[in-house]
Amino acid sequence: MKESVFVKKTVAFSKKIHINVVKKLLVFDELGSTNMTAKELAQGNAEDGTIVIAKMQNQGRGRFDRDWQSPKGGMYLSLVLRPIIPVEKTPLLSFVAALAVTTTIHSYGLSATIKWPNDVRVNGKKIAGILLESEVNRNIISFVIVGIGINLNIKVEHLSADIQSQSTSMEKELGHKVDYHEFLKTLLTQFDHYYNLLVDEQYEQIRDEWKNHADTLGKHVRVRTSTETLQGTAYDIDQAGFLLLQTDTGEKKRILSGDCLYCDEL
Ligand code: BTN
């Protein structure tokens, strides 16, 4: 089949960039889900640093099995990583990804913030999401898939009505489109920077930077985990990336993952 302009341009781009974490870039016009393809490749021994990128997805997946709407104009990629880090530090990879996305958006003059654990928002509206999937064998990480979806050159009106009011895009915030490959280069460069910190065991630095870019701490929140819904004040993040919550009933909870809502936005 003839290569599309998108595939051609992105393959050419991958040959020009020299970013440590990028070992191989596999480019598709359309996939079900880049995370799904990346996972299959990882299970078939794809090398560390394999990146799957698609112009659009027809079965994009979000956290908690939700759909991730993935029309043309967005950025959809998944990294296959085999980091040699302690298993309990795996959640920090979602901080690495959130920091990479946030700082990339900042470079366009927009003020993006992170909502725990890793939603990236501009003006209180979601602009990017991150989906981490990992496989661990005998307490050793076999692979982690870091899926990143960004509403880049998307008209919010093209997303389904139920999420329009909580979503935004780079195009909407800036009032013009952004160059796809320029954005991708900055994103991968930033990812490489934060990923190196993780591999170099600079956990405190990642946590501090995450705290500087997040707007969750100090907020009254409602967190839905897979087993319960808790309400209270988010007072800190621990060294492994767990949210520390002081519930309204006075209990202290340590939460690995969940859906976080800010009570002042309910
Ligand atoms: C979320 O906020 O719920 C996470 C959304 C993650 C979406 C990205 S798009 C690229 C990768 N492939 C997927 O199917 N999902 C992730």
Side-chain angles (χ1 to χ4, degrees):
M1 212 174 80
K2 218 173 130 249
E3 271 189 350
S4 72
V5 174
F6 173 77
V7 171
K8 254 191 214 153
K9 273 194 174 172
T10 310
V11 169
F13 158 86
S14 73
K15 290 184 180 149
K16 274 200 307 223
I17 53 164
H18 300 284
I19 303 169
N20 247 333
V21 74
V22 185
K23 296 290 183 300
K24 188 188 260 181
L25 195 64
L26 301 172
V27 192
F28 299 86
D29 275 315
E30 183 163 356
L31 281 179
S33 148
T34 56
N35 258 43
M36 224 144 47
T37 300
K39 200 169 172 182
E40 282 162 16
L41 291 168
Q43 283 161 343
N45 295 327
E47 67 174 318
D48 168 64
T50 301
I51 300 177
V52 178
I53 190 157
K55 187 173 170 189
M56 52 202 282
Q57 305 182 113
N58 53 47
Q59 272 186 284
R61 294 185 313 186
R63 297 172 64 235
F64 298 105
D65 265 336
R66 285 187 285 241
D67 290 340
W68 181 260
Q69 293 175 32
S70 312
K72 199 172 78 186
M75 185 169 279
Y76 315 106
L77 69 155
S78 301
L79 296 90
V80 177
L81 299 170
R82 301 187 188 278
I84 301 172
I85 55 168
V87 178
E88 65 275 14
K89 299 294 181 192
T90 313
L92 290 181
L93 261 169
S94 78
F95 286 13
V96 164
L99 282 167
V101 174
T102 306
T103 51
T104 300
I105 295 174
H106 279 181
S107 74
Y108 288 80
L110 294 174
S111 120
T113 49
I114 307 170
K115 178 158 76 77
W116 180 86
N118 52 27
D119 279 357
V120 180
R121 310 197 310 168
V122 173
N123 290 324
K125 298 190 176 197
K126 187 155 167 171
I127 197 162
I130 290 152
L131 179 65
L132 230 66
E133 299 184 78
S134 57
E135 205 167 279
V136 174
N137 284 319
R138 288 197 208 99
N139 218 32
I140 291 177
I141 298 172
S142 164
F143 63 79
V144 184
I145 307 299
V146 181
I148 304 177
I150 302 160
N151 296 339
L152 207 65
N153 298 318
I154 283 185
K155 300 242 181 299
V156 173
E157 310 79 71
H158 293 166
L159 297 172
S160 66
D162 55 320
I163 61 164
Q164 276 180 25
S165 64
Q166 314 130 38
S167 307
T168 192
S169 70
M170 289 296 288
E171 180 174 348
K172 174 159 186 201
E173 295 298 326
L174 290 170
H176 59 81
K177 291 191 194 300
V178 300
D179 184 278
Y180 185 94
H181 295 96
E182 204 171 282
F183 189 98
L184 181 59
K185 185 173 174 192
T186 309
L187 177 67
L188 293 172
T189 305
Q190 290 301 98
F191 190 94
D192 188 61
H193 166 71
Y194 289 108
Y195 186 60
N196 281 332
L197 290 181
L198 180 64
V199 174
D200 290 345
E201 301 176 14
Q202 302 300 309
Y203 311 130
E204 277 307 299
Q205 195 178 333
I206 294 174
R207 197 164 72 118
D208 287 349
E209 289 213 31
W210 186 91
K211 282 191 192 181
N212 286 338
H213 288 98
D215 61 1
T216 307
L217 300 185
K219 279 225 155 72
H220 193 228
V221 299
R222 186 179 294 168
V223 182
R224 192 165 53 86
T225 72
S226 50
T227 52
E228 56 186 342
T229 299
L230 298 161
Q231 196 157 299
T233 303
Y235 68 92
D236 208 354
I237 291 288
D238 74 8
Q239 287 181 339
F242 285 60
L243 181 71
L244 303 179
L245 187 80
Q246 164 99 47
T247 69
D248 292 345
T249 52
E251 276 176 283
K252 288 200 165 152
K253 294 270 186 178
R254 189 171 173 258
I255 310 168
L256 170 61
S257 98
D259 227 6
C260 177
L261 296 173
Y262 294 161
C263 293
D264 61 4
E265 292 179 6
L266 289 175

